Each structure stands twice: as C-alpha cells, then as structure tokens.
Amino acid sequence: MSQGTLLDTFPAFLEWWERAEGQSLEEQVEGWAAEYMARWPELLARQQEDYASQGLDWREVARERVFPFLTERLPAMREAHQNLLEACEPVYYRAREVLGFDGAVLFVLYVGIGCGAGWVTSLNGEAAIWFGLENIAECGWSRREAVWGLVAHEMGHGVHQYWRAQSGKPAGSGPWWQLYEEGFAQYCETLIWGSENWHQVCGDKNWLEWCRARKGWLAAEFLRRADAGLPVNTFFGSWFEIEGMRETGYFLGYELIRALVEEMDFQAAALLEDVEGRLRPILERWPPCDLRLAPCNFSGGQDGERNLGSNC
C-alpha cells in the first residue's frame, strides 16, 4: 500500500545553527552547505541548481534574502515545524480518501535558501514534497490553519502530477500552465478541507476580499501580460507584489478551475491538453472592474511560489 513518509532535517539544522548563529553571513552560508545540508547531497544540489538554472548565484540570494532573517524567524520556523509534523500524515490520507489518490509521497522538512514554502518534486527517486521552513516563516504561514492548508495545496500539486503521469499527459510550461497548475492545487486544497480554504489569508487577512473585488481586473492584467510576453511571476512569487498584494494568481487560477469543473468532470479538468484554449475564454468573459486602481506596480526579486518557478 502506498503511503506518506517523512524526512525531518530540522533537528540537524537546529544543532548546526546553535554553533553558527553568531558567525558572519559568509560563514553561515558556507556552513549551511558544508555542515548542515551536506548530509543530504541531492537536497543541497537541487537548490543550488534551481538558482543556477535562472542565472543566479545561490550564495548571493542566501546572503541577501535568507540568512539575515533566520534568527528573528526561528520561533515561526519552530511553530511551522511542529504543525507540519502533525499535518503531513493526516492530510495525505485525507487526499487519498477525497481525491482517490493512491501514490506514495515523501514529505521533506528543511531550512533552505528561499526556493519556496512548498515544492512538489522528488528525492532519491521518490515523489516528494519539500517544505522550506524559512519561506513558510517569511510568508506568515506558521500557524496551524496555514500549515494544514499549505500541505493540502501541495498534495493537490502531487495528485495533479501523478494523474497526468499515469495518463501520459506531459506537464506544460509558460504563463498559462502556471496559472492552471496553481489553480488546480488551490482547488484541491478546498476539496481536501471540505470547504473553501485559503492558506494565503493567514499571511494577510485582507487577501481574499482584495482578490474578489478585483477578479476581473486581475484577469485583464494577466491577459495583458501574457499576450505581451511579459513575466507573470508577479502573480505567484512570495517575493513579488501587485498593488501591494502577493500571490494573486492562486486566486485567479482557483476561479478558473472552479469554472472548468462546472463544465466538465474534475479529473478531466486535471488532464487538459490545450490549457490556454480552455482558460482564455473564461478569463475574457470576466468584465474588468473599475476601482480607480493606480497603474500596476510590480516589485520583487525572483520568480515563483517556490521563488524560482513557483512551487507553493
């Protein structure tokens, strides 16, 4: 029988951090790789390669975006860690029950260099979900309800990937695919919970209200950027904002999947081939709202929910 298993590296991080906390940033970054992460070579290499694939220096990102904040975020990381220990197994079995998922998953808890709060990938040949405690703390998702929602969201990604692989449907790429897969995972989060749930609200209590009021505007802005060949990472990354709000693409994608399952079977919606052809007409029929918004101001450093490539 397939099951969910756990790799918890956080105790090793705490042991190392007790020695490293008072060191310089340079020493901390090098020690993170050589002393803590080196115990799991693939876990280390995949993070480094993720930045290298985008032409970025992982050390520079770590020095600027992660290590200066670890001390202040440590209590939140501890809280998130405990909640993950309690959430992973029951959410996994809930996904099996609700979605009919029958794959195995390895849950990995670690302190990384900003690759994302959640990342559905693999480790040592096993399907895996990586949870970056440093990003979870940064996003304000350490509390129980946020962590359980995040685990459900990542299970949604895992189910989506598993179903598509089983059916011989390759993963896509580009803005439309990103909107589709994040919307699917967000929709799965609500199915697993049994009611509409948004872990993003735990980081900003106004998030859902803000997104709902600007649904048509967000759709029009996504269309404008996609059609112009502009990056859409501002809709997804925790290091990006649109009008001061993060991760609005998860709301937009959820609304698209909700509209799709009114037209077709849920599993059929998971196996789309012409993603843009199915999603574009839905976005185009949502009338832009007139809220006298200022022109969009985009800010941030990198790309993704997982901050490169979007994995949360």
Side-chain angles (χ1 to χ4, degrees):
M1 175 179 171
S2 298
Q3 60 182 351
T5 54
L6 184 73
L7 170 61
D8 182 9
T9 78
F10 191 54
F13 168 81
L14 292 175
E15 179 186 342
W16 167 73
W17 186 245
E18 187 173 349
R19 303 190 303 273
E21 186 173 11
Q23 296 175 349
S24 69
L25 278 177
E26 294 290 342
E27 290 172 317
Q28 288 175 349
V29 170
E30 295 303 323
W32 172 86
E35 299 177 48
Y36 163 49
M37 268 288 119
R39 305 184 197 187
W40 301 276
E42 185 179 351
L43 188 60
L44 170 62
R46 293 280 295 283
Q47 294 174 78
Q48 294 170 332
E49 291 164 4
D50 198 44
Y51 284 111
S53 69
Q54 301 294 324
L56 296 169
D57 181 348
W58 70 268
R59 290 180 174 86
E60 183 178 346
V61 175
R63 285 193 300 267
E64 293 180 2
R65 301 300 303 245
V66 179
F67 282 85
F69 310 105
L70 286 183
T71 294
E72 68 186 72
R73 290 174 181 160
L74 187 58
M77 287 193 287
R78 291 182 184 273
E79 181 182 20
H81 172 256
Q82 183 58 43
N83 284 321
L84 281 164
L85 292 178
E86 296 172 4
C88 287
E89 183 175 358
V91 172
Y92 168 81
Y93 283 106
R94 177 69 177 163
R96 290 177 61 94
E97 175 186 351
V98 172
L99 301 177
F101 175 66
D102 60 355
V105 175
L106 171 66
F107 296 99
V108 180
L109 315 187
Y110 72 111
V111 177
I113 49 176
C115 292
W119 184 357
V120 175
T121 181
S122 62
L123 187 67
N124 300 323
E126 295 184 63
I129 302 176
W130 299 9
F131 291 104
L133 293 166
E134 80 291 355
N135 273 150
I136 294 174
E138 179 185 13
C139 290
W141 296 344
S142 298
R143 298 195 305 275
R144 182 183 185 276
E145 58 270 30
V147 167
W148 283 63
L150 176 63
V151 176
H153 180 96
E154 298 305 327
M155 279 301 307
H157 278 303
V159 170
H160 197 196
Q161 291 185 14
Y162 182 77
W163 282 352
R164 291 188 68 89
Q166 292 289 306
S167 300
K169 306 286 187 182
S173 60
W176 290 99
W177 175 264
Q178 188 169 13
L179 186 63
Y180 168 61
E181 69 170 347
E182 293 300 350
F184 188 89
Q186 196 71 41
Y187 192 82
C188 285
E189 181 176 336
T190 70
L191 294 180
I192 292 169
W193 273 77
S195 61
E196 191 171 278
N197 184 74
W198 306 86
H199 64 272
Q200 292 88 350
V201 172
C202 296
D204 187 328
K205 65 181 181 179
N206 297 315
W207 183 85
L208 185 56
E209 180 182 0
W210 190 97
C211 290
R212 282 176 171 162
R214 292 159 177 81
K215 174 179 166 180
W217 180 80
L218 287 168
E221 182 59 25
F222 184 91
L223 285 164
R224 183 188 72 81
R225 294 186 68 80
D227 289 346
L230 298 172
V232 298
N233 48 20
T234 43
F235 285 87
F236 301 102
S238 61
W239 292 348
F240 292 90
E241 296 178 350
I242 294 177
E243 292 293 316
M245 197 61 66
R246 299 177 180 179
E247 305 198 334
T248 57
Y250 298 92
F251 168 81
L252 199 60
Y254 167 86
E255 289 293 309
L256 282 167
I257 299 299
R258 188 171 71 162
L260 271 181
V261 298
E262 292 176 356
E263 303 172 359
M264 64 174 64
D265 174 80
F266 176 63
Q267 193 152 5
L271 303 177
L272 292 186
E273 294 186 82
D274 182 12
V275 171
E276 180 179 351
R278 293 306 302 257
L279 301 188
R280 176 182 285 275
I282 300 173
L283 283 191
E284 289 177 340
R285 70 178 182 239
W286 291 343
C289 52
D290 179 12
L291 295 177
R292 302 293 188 266
L293 293 175
C296 251
N297 295 316
F298 298 100
S299 61
Q302 296 171 60
D303 167 0
E305 163 185 344
R306 180 172 67 85
N307 282 308
L308 290 174
S310 184
N311 273 296
C312 271

